[in-house]
Amino acid sequence: MASALVAPFRSRRASDPEGNDGISGETHPQTAEFTCRAAVLVRVPRGEENIACELWERHGLLFSQVEDAGQDEAARMLYRVEVRLQGSRWGALSEAERRVMTALAGRVGAYIGDATLLEPEDTQTAVSTWHVYRKTDWGSGWLRTSAARLWIRVGAADVHRRVRLDGQGTRQEALAALHRTPGLGGVAFNDTLHDVRPGIAPAQALRPQDPAPWHTRAFGLPAMTVAVATMLFGWALAGLGLWWQIALASLLPAAAWRVGPWVADRDQHSRAITWLCGLALVGIMGFCGYMARVLFTALGGVPELWRVGLALCGLPVLRGCVYAVRQSWFSRNVAALVPIAVLPLAWVLPWMGRLAQGVYLTVCLGIPLSAANVDPLWMYLAGMKPAGLCVIAALCGLAALGWARHFYWFTGSKSYCIATVGTLTVMMMTTALILGLSSATTAAQRTAAQAAAGHDPSAFFGINARLVCVSPLDEAKTAVQPGPLPTGHPVLAFDSTGDETWLWDPQRAKDTANPAEKALRVRTDQIATRPAEHGTHPCPHARAVAPGS
């Protein structure tokens, strides 16, 4: 039975037990990309094999009858079913067995006898690439010759023609292949003007499929480890002084000697080219980590360890999103869905921006948002942080579905995964929205502290306030809610947009913890305001001003 699992697959349906070929024919193979294959031996009761074959064919599974002398010819027939999966090797056998039995839909009393993962049927041949370039002569001298050689090696002199050879190949083999190849209508190879150079990547890296496990590939776990370590190195480097940065930065060129052979073939390129390729790789990773810390420091408000965690969590989130959308309805209709998904931002951003401004002005300071004259552009800018955090939370939920799909949890218990991940995503988006709006609360507290200290507060996305001294035009007829009108100390005044002016008194009700209780309203035509002066007495006692004076 075990040999039947790994035997070459026959892609024809089994013939009718009676001998006629009424149900024989080619199956519809699974044409989508796959990462692993599994073979499952299924015992089907005699008389029900036609139904089983029809159901397997309907679900696109490859199958064939196995002639095994050890089977019970009188009761059951043995079939080998191949399942192609796009996902991890962990859990692939269980998923393959589930798909085989799900396709039968309980209509056939079959059971599984054996199952195994299959290796690629043939080993992919390594392929090397040779580029055609125009011969370059920059004159004599070591410096000019080295510069010209480097110019050629990096591909700057290429004429956009190349040839591929099986295995490593040699320069002579590449030239012979170019002479044998008929003209394609583009660049005609000329021995006098042209020559060939090997490609940068090693021949083994160009194989369409690598049968090696993911943790042993050159660009698998080792590359991920080096990338993360280099980014952390750049992150740590950004927090040091200039001289320490210069001293420790020399470790990157040293690491490039070990990383370079992953990118460039040592047998085909000089040590300088191999080192430069490695330096480009580790340099980019280190620079990304360096700039990430610089940006997080500029933004502020996030603890140091959280910044590192957020930066590293971005990698599995992006990978999970890829797992979620590949070979899906979304990926097949991405050209039409992306504009539809982006279009609601034109309404979501100003709504969230107005919500943030309302929390700052109305909820925290007790002043209606209509009392401030705000440019509409500031509403879009104010909504970017809460909207961006909500999008990140949604992507985290999508990544969770992607990882569940990659390890076949999603296909095995779809309803449970959607309910669980959907609930967690809604909770994360709610938390992200609250976190995004918390900046408005922080800004309101900062405004109150600056006003109490006698300084003009900082603007919050277009909402400006200034410290002013207020004088009533007619003290007897001035209506203030709630009164009285503060005239002996400066208050915050916002831009007037109508018949009423809203003021915020930092000294009103000092024993209250609610800043909204310090807001008061007065008619604009009943008061006069002037900027508060600096010093001990910014607002000397003002007398009532007669109308018209």
Side-chain angles (χ1 to χ4, degrees):
M1 182 179 295
S3 61
L5 281 174
V6 296
F9 185 76
R10 300 190 303 275
S11 60
R12 275 191 181 274
R13 297 178 49 179
S15 59
D16 189 280
E18 303 297 331
N20 47 15
D21 296 328
I23 64 170
S24 64
E26 293 290 333
T27 63
H28 299 283
Q30 302 161 332
T31 57
E33 295 182 1
F34 59 93
T35 56
C36 56
R37 300 182 303 135
V40 181
L41 287 181
V42 185
R43 295 191 180 278
V44 181
R46 284 189 172 273
E48 298 182 1
E49 63 272 14
N50 291 350
I51 301 176
C53 292
E54 181 180 351
L55 293 174
W56 286 331
E57 184 176 12
R58 186 180 302 172
H59 285 78
L61 300 177
L62 301 173
F63 58 91
S64 63
Q65 183 178 348
V66 178
E67 300 296 339
D68 190 352
Q71 64 180 322
D72 188 356
E73 298 288 346
R76 297 182 181 273
M77 299 183 64
L78 191 62
Y79 281 86
R80 176 183 183 272
V81 184
E82 180 180 327
V83 183
R84 296 178 178 179
L85 304 169
Q86 175 72 285
S88 172
R89 295 172 67 90
W90 296 98
L93 276 183
S94 299
E95 175 65 12
E97 294 175 353
R98 189 196 67 81
R99 292 190 184 185
V100 170
M101 300 307 294
T102 301
L104 298 179
R107 297 175 58 185
V108 178
Y111 67 88
I112 295 175
D114 198 356
T116 185
L117 288 182
L118 299 176
E119 297 296 335
E121 295 180 356
D122 54 346
T123 304
Q124 300 292 339
T125 304
V127 177
S128 60
T129 304
W130 293 77
H131 299 268
V132 179
Y133 69 90
R134 182 177 287 105
K135 293 181 179 179
T136 303
D137 185 9
W138 287 3
S140 59
W142 177 84
L143 183 60
R144 291 186 178 184
T145 303
S146 301
R149 188 180 299 111
L150 181 61
W151 181 264
I152 293 172
R153 289 293 186 183
V154 299
D158 288 356
V159 295
H160 306 292
R161 184 177 179 182
R162 61 188 178 187
V163 62
R164 296 185 184 273
L165 301 176
D166 292 339
Q168 292 287 85
T170 61
R171 177 176 174 274
Q172 289 71 21
E173 292 176 355
L175 293 174
L178 286 170
H179 287 299
R180 291 194 306 266
T181 304
L184 300 176
V187 178
F189 183 78
N190 189 331
D191 290 317
T192 305
L193 302 176
H194 302 137
D195 204 343
V196 293
R197 68 170 183 87
I200 295 294
Q204 290 79 4
L206 299 179
R207 289 182 293 183
Q209 291 182 351
D210 194 339
W214 66 274
H215 55 82
T216 61
R217 298 175 190 169
F219 285 95
L221 185 61
M224 292 176 59
T225 304
V226 170
V228 172
T230 310
M231 290 183 66
L232 291 176
F233 177 79
W235 182 285
L237 206 63
L240 302 177
L242 177 61
W243 292 108
W244 276 107
Q245 291 180 358
I246 296 175
L248 295 179
S250 60
L251 296 177
L252 291 178
W257 283 110
R258 301 301 302 268
V259 179
W262 296 358
V263 183
D265 194 346
R266 280 179 172 175
D267 297 334
Q268 300 287 352
H269 300 281
S270 63
R271 292 184 178 180
I273 296 296
T274 305
W275 175 75
L276 286 176
C277 292
L279 184 62
L281 186 61
V282 297
I284 291 174
M285 293 294 102
F287 181 75
C288 290
Y290 185 92
M291 292 305 300
R293 179 161 186 173
V294 171
L295 292 177
F296 274 116
T297 303
L299 294 175
V302 182
E304 191 76 15
L305 293 179
W306 279 95
R307 298 174 189 174
V308 179
L310 290 174
L312 295 180
C313 286
L315 300 177
V317 168
L318 292 177
R319 190 61 175 174
C321 292
V322 172
Y323 287 150
V325 301
R326 69 178 180 184
Q327 292 188 14
S328 63
W329 178 83
F330 181 86
S331 62
R332 292 190 294 269
N333 302 274
V334 63
L337 293 177
V338 169
I340 297 176
V342 174
L343 188 61
L345 291 178
W347 289 270
V348 173
L349 280 179
W351 179 83
M352 285 194 172
R354 193 165 183 83
L355 181 62
Q357 292 174 337
V359 170
Y360 167 78
L361 199 60
T362 304
V363 177
C364 296
L365 299 179
I367 299 174
L369 186 58
S370 58
N373 187 15
V374 183
D375 191 281
L377 177 62
W378 287 108
M379 289 191 298
Y380 284 88
L381 296 178
M384 290 186 66
K385 181 177 181 178
L389 291 176
C390 289
V391 170
I392 292 174
L395 291 179
C396 290
L398 181 64
L401 287 178
W403 284 107
R405 184 186 180 197
H406 181 66
F407 289 104
Y408 315 108
W409 304 330
F410 183 79
T411 55
S413 53
K414 186 174 182 179
S415 301
Y416 177 79
C417 281
I418 291 179
T420 304
V421 176
T423 303
L424 292 176
T425 302
V426 172
M427 294 175 60
M428 286 191 298
M429 293 183 67
T430 304
T431 305
L433 181 61
I434 296 174
L435 183 62
L437 296 177
S438 64
S439 60
T441 305
T442 304
Q445 295 173 352
R446 182 181 65 247
T447 297
Q450 290 174 341
H455 304 292
D456 287 331
S458 305
F460 179 76
F461 291 105
I463 300 177
N464 298 296
R466 65 189 187 280
L467 282 174
V468 298
C469 296
V470 183
S471 300
L473 298 178
D474 188 349
E475 190 171 359
K477 296 182 179 180
T478 301
V480 183
Q481 294 180 354
L485 182 69
T487 59
H489 57 271
V491 295
L492 282 182
F494 295 85
D495 296 333
S496 300
T497 57
D499 298 335
E500 295 179 338
T501 297
W502 282 84
L503 306 174
W504 193 84
D505 187 359
Q507 297 187 16
R508 180 185 292 267
K510 290 185 177 181
D511 56 342
T512 180
N514 185 10
E517 296 181 1
K518 302 182 180 183
L520 57 143
R521 179 179 59 179
V522 63
R523 289 187 60 84
T524 305
D525 56 358
Q526 294 180 353
I527 61 171
T529 60
R530 58 185 175 85
E533 300 176 359
H534 297 284
T536 309
H537 302 287
C539 288
H541 185 68
R543 61 179 178 84
V545 180
S549 59

